[in-house]
Amino acid sequence: MCGIVGYIGTQNATEILLSGLERLEYRGYDSAGIATSWEGKLDCVRVKGKIYQLREKLDGWENPAKTGIGHTRWATHGKPEEHNAHPHSDMSSRVAVVQNGIIENHRQLREKLKEKGYEFSSQTDTEVIPNLIADYLQQPNTDLLEATRLAVQDLEGAFAIAVVYTDSSDELVVARQQAPLAIGFGQGEFFCASDTPAIVSHTRAVLNLNDGEIARLTPLGVELYNFEGERLKRFPRMLEMTPTTVEKQGFRHFMLKEIYEQPGVIRTCLDAYFAHNWQPDSHQAPLDLGVSDSVLDGVEHIQILACGTSWHAGLIGKYLLEQLAGIPTSVAHSSEFRYAPAPLMPNTLTIGVTQSGETADTLAALSREQQRRANTSPPYAARILGITNRPESSLGNLGAHIINAHAGVEIGVAATKSFTAQLMAFYALALDLAYRRQQVPAKEMARLLDGLRQLPVQVEKILETQDAAIQDLAHEFLETQDFIFVGRGINFPIALEGALKLKEISYIHAEGYPAGEMKHGPIALLDSKVPVVAVAMPGLVYEKVLSNAQEAKARDSQLIGVTPAGNADSEELFDTLLSVPAIDELLSPIVTVVPLQLLAYHIAALRGLDVDQPRNLAKSVTVE
């Protein structure tokens, strides 16, 4: 949600800010703007709409400024209008600020500033910040860094900010509290950004700010402090990504590129988690997640906290952890767990699943769990494990042990390859715990590992043989208003995920149900205008799913089957087959999700929609 870019150095700031904002468009936004400081003058240009509209507004604008900040806004306080867009300046247009997050006490601060004569022109919470900083700047011997440090101590909530000041055009001040912000190190130039793709074309040396930290950037270097004013010393890390990893590389959309990257992601996960050439009679463990034995040994209960697509991955994780490792497992929406947590039990492993490592509700839920366990008498040990694509994120800083999902940079808002990577992490975790608890015989372990190693080729086969056919099929649904997705057992969450993907990017109403629940209400929705997609993989519930699908066909619904080809019963039943390889039912979610991703993608693309940046959505939900 929202995006921040900042620059100070020797180059013209405007183009660097604009190109950085373009690389953050995937986060979701409804307005944009930049502010530059040069020779005692603050220039601020904002638009309601897209970055290309901001570029058009800046066309022909001569501005030699070498210091500036930029922002893409996802509306929270105040409608998406130009006067609510960032950057915001103080009443005298000397201080400009961009902010991600929510200032919870902005109304109280606004009233106090109004009493001092300050005026406001927006409905945003952010506008209090530049006025608050300007107010502190009136104190004797107070520079921008100190005024900002004093101001952030008055703020309540989650925020990341970047600040420029007309009287000090050779510095940029940034601060973080529970919202991501990173500093990029160049040669005589420095950057800040809410996400690293914005600056990777300029530098790969990055320092992530921690909560309660503030920094001053000048052409000479970076000074890092905590909110109490104590000087800190940390060193930047090198990013693994390169500029080419955030390009489309010939694909029409990032989402399609990322769907096609899934075989490579699976291979990376296999290499990272599983021992090569493991044999049943080996004394070596079959896999290594890099997680301390103290976290995994003796676990009696597991609770998984997640949102959205990660929650669907957690449902599959629950199935695997219970069926393979024999550990009772619950899955909760992070936003609900925060306010209604499960009863405390000893020897509980709490798993937070978040692609970005910055999901506000999941971080807050994990923090709540840590506090609850610390406050028991005697304290319960807090076993916190994170599954994320960003180990360096706030999730890692929370003190969680991390399983790196190894999905690489994902730009499309609708998660695809990160979902597959999370599933691979859950397969590895479930098999690791099963091995520790001796729940799976060695020969069965070897068979499952061999099945996992076949997955990359099987996903490649789906992409090779089904993509064009699914694109052709998608033409039939351009005017469709409702879809139903059904599955059972381990593939029920895939029905949920297929429905979510369609909703997210095509704006078609879609619902996922356990196939066996259709007779308990949802079947009333069915008629010839409501297609039904059934995930039917040979195994424990295969015949049951076919029977449930037959009930839908009897109501005149067009029936689409995600199932292996070659079965006479299924080929006769389904109007259309989205065929997948015949594999072990336990491993099937990795292959059954791919046709559903392609179906959602092609319907949305054929409808001419913004696939990578669907309306009202953001890649990382960093506010509650």
Side-chain angles (χ1 to χ4, degrees):
M1 281 187 169
C2 303
I4 287 174
V5 178
Y7 174 76
I8 185 165
T10 57
Q11 301 185 61
N12 184 289
T14 300
E15 179 55 35
I16 292 174
L17 296 174
L18 289 172
S19 62
L21 292 177
E22 287 169 340
R23 290 181 179 272
L24 293 181
E25 285 191 290
Y26 68 91
R27 293 173 67 90
Y29 70 107
D30 45 55
S31 59
I34 66 169
T36 57
S37 178
W38 175 256
E39 294 185 343
K41 182 183 178 183
L42 185 70
D43 289 304
C44 185
V45 180
R46 304 177 296 181
V47 297
K48 173 187 175 181
K50 297 294 186 178
I51 305 298
Y52 76 87
Q53 294 170 292
L54 180 60
R55 279 192 176 276
E56 290 173 354
K57 193 170 184 178
L58 289 167
D59 187 37
W61 189 47
E62 298 293 334
N63 184 350
K66 295 175 174 57
T67 302
I69 52 178
H71 193 264
T72 51
R73 177 177 184 255
W74 192 87
T76 52
H77 295 76
K79 293 181 179 180
E81 302 289 349
E82 183 174 317
H83 67 275
N84 286 326
H86 296 212
H88 287 284
S89 63
D90 69 307
M91 185 175 63
S92 61
S93 295
R94 297 167 62 221
V95 177
V97 170
V98 291
Q99 181 232 343
N100 288 353
I102 292 178
I103 307 304
E104 295 174 354
N105 63 333
H106 71 99
R107 292 185 181 85
Q108 299 93 309
L109 294 172
R110 183 181 288 239
E111 291 306 313
K112 289 180 181 179
L113 289 166
K114 281 183 176 180
E115 291 173 2
K116 293 184 177 184
Y118 287 87
E119 298 176 355
F120 294 83
S121 59
S122 79
Q123 290 79 51
T124 69
D125 55 334
T126 302
E127 196 179 1
V128 302
I129 304 174
N131 286 288
L132 195 59
I133 294 171
D135 192 57
Y136 278 116
L137 280 166
Q138 296 182 39
Q139 296 182 1
N141 303 316
T142 302
D143 60 10
L144 178 62
L145 177 69
E146 180 63 9
T148 305
R149 188 187 71 81
L150 294 170
V152 296
Q153 293 185 346
D154 293 337
L155 305 179
E156 297 176 5
F159 57 84
I161 63 172
V163 190
V164 293
Y165 177 39
T166 56
D167 292 7
S168 185
S169 295
D170 61 347
E171 69 176 321
L172 169 65
V173 172
V174 298
R176 169 199 165 128
Q177 182 64 34
Q178 297 180 2
L181 196 62
I183 299 171
F185 290 70
Q187 295 293 325
E189 58 184 3
F190 297 89
F191 310 81
C192 73
S194 50
D195 204 358
T196 49
I199 57 178
V200 70
S201 61
H202 301 285
T203 180
R204 293 175 59 200
V206 170
L207 176 69
N208 288 81
L209 290 185
N210 294 327
D211 289 343
E213 290 185 346
I214 185 170
R216 173 169 29 211
L217 285 62
T218 74
L220 299 178
V222 174
E223 302 170 19
L224 182 65
Y225 303 85
N226 60 25
F227 283 2
E228 288 70 45
E230 300 169 331
R231 185 75 179 263
L232 306 175
K233 186 175 183 180
R234 286 210 317 278
F235 295 98
R237 63 183 177 87
M238 297 301 294
L239 293 174
E240 295 181 2
M241 74 177 74
T242 65
T244 58
T245 63
V246 291
E247 301 294 344
K248 293 177 184 173
Q249 299 175 357
F251 287 91
R252 182 180 175 189
H253 296 98
F254 280 110
M255 182 180 177
L256 186 60
K257 169 178 174 275
E258 288 154 5
I259 290 172
Y260 270 78
E261 288 176 338
Q262 289 176 119
V265 169
I266 298 168
R267 288 188 176 97
T268 300
C269 291
L270 290 169
D271 289 341
Y273 305 146
F274 297 96
H276 295 280
N277 302 316
W278 183 80
Q279 298 298 323
D281 57 355
S282 172
H283 296 293
Q284 175 191 9
L287 65 167
D288 181 7
L289 296 174
V291 178
S292 171
D293 291 342
S294 63
V295 177
L296 300 181
D297 285 343
V299 170
E300 297 177 2
H301 312 276
I302 296 175
Q303 53 189 9
I304 299 171
L305 311 178
C307 303
T309 287
S310 295
W311 186 75
H312 297 159
L315 292 176
I316 293 174
K318 166 185 166 68
Y319 190 99
L320 296 170
L321 290 163
E322 290 186 337
Q323 302 305 314
L324 290 174
I327 303 175
T329 301
S330 63
V331 186
H333 292 283
S334 301
S335 56
E336 295 298 317
F337 185 90
R338 291 178 61 177
Y339 305 105
L344 285 171
M345 292 183 288
N347 301 319
T348 296
L349 174 64
T350 302
I351 305 173
V353 190
T354 156
Q355 181 274 142
S356 66
E358 303 291 350
T359 305
D361 284 316
T362 300
L363 294 176
L366 293 172
S367 295
R368 172 78 187 276
E369 186 66 5
Q370 286 179 323
Q371 294 166 4
R372 288 203 308 151
R373 291 185 172 273
N375 292 335
T376 59
S377 183
Y380 282 151
R383 304 183 190 214
I384 306 295
L385 179 65
I387 296 177
T388 181
N389 204 29
R390 298 287 186 89
E392 76 285 355
S393 63
S394 297
L395 181 62
N397 294 333
L398 190 67
H401 296 262
I402 296 295
I403 297 177
N404 186 345
H406 294 292
V409 177
E410 186 175 67
I411 300 296
V413 167
T416 52
K417 65 176 182 174
S418 62
F419 174 73
T420 296
Q422 289 171 354
L423 294 191
M424 291 299 296
F426 272 119
Y427 278 107
L429 178 62
L431 289 170
D432 185 299
L433 289 168
Y435 178 80
R436 292 168 184 265
R437 295 162 60 89
Q438 298 183 341
Q439 291 289 307
V440 175
K443 288 186 178 180
E444 175 66 5
M445 178 73 72
R447 189 186 69 81
L448 290 172
L449 294 181
D450 183 63
L452 286 165
R453 293 190 183 101
Q454 305 306 313
L455 288 173
V457 172
Q458 291 165 336
V459 173
E460 287 170 342
K461 182 178 180 181
I462 296 171
L463 295 169
E464 179 183 344
T465 62
Q466 294 296 302
D467 191 8
I470 291 173
Q471 183 176 8
D472 290 341
L473 176 67
H475 285 87
E476 299 182 24
F477 306 116
L478 300 188
E479 303 301 324
T480 299
Q481 296 183 0
D482 301 280
F483 256 88
I484 298 292
F485 291 74
V486 296
R488 294 188 79 152
I490 198 169
N491 276 300
F492 160 55
I494 296 301
L496 295 176
E497 177 63 10
L500 178 61
K501 284 293 153 285
L502 192 63
K503 282 184 281 194
E504 285 179 315
I505 63 171
S506 76
Y507 315 145
I508 294 173
H509 172 248
E511 298 295 338
Y513 292 101
E517 290 296 303
M518 288 297 292
K519 293 189 294 293
H520 298 275
I523 199 169
L525 297 170
L526 300 186
D527 59 27
S528 61
K529 296 180 181 179
V530 182
V532 173
V533 180
V535 183
M537 294 300 291
L540 185 64
V541 293
Y542 180 57
E543 297 298 335
K544 297 291 186 182
V545 175
L546 294 183
S547 176
N548 299 139
Q550 183 67 62
E551 294 165 354
K553 190 169 185 178
R555 272 74 184 175
D556 295 325
S557 292
Q558 182 174 350
L559 200 55
I560 302 165
V562 179
T563 188
N567 182 288
D569 290 338
S570 63
E571 290 183 351
E572 180 181 350
L573 172 63
F574 293 111
D575 299 301
T576 304
L577 287 185
L578 307 183
S579 64
V580 296
I583 67 172
D584 190 309
E585 184 181 27
L586 198 66
L587 306 179
S588 63
I590 298 289
V591 298
T592 56
V593 74
V594 177
L596 303 187
Q597 294 170 343
L598 289 170
L599 181 64
Y601 168 77
H602 284 302
I603 292 174
L606 288 170
R607 297 181 86 180
L609 300 174
D610 194 342
V611 173
D612 290 330
Q613 300 167 46
R615 68 188 182 198
N616 303 329
L617 295 180
K619 184 64 176 172
S620 302
V621 183
T622 56
V623 295
E624 182 179 2

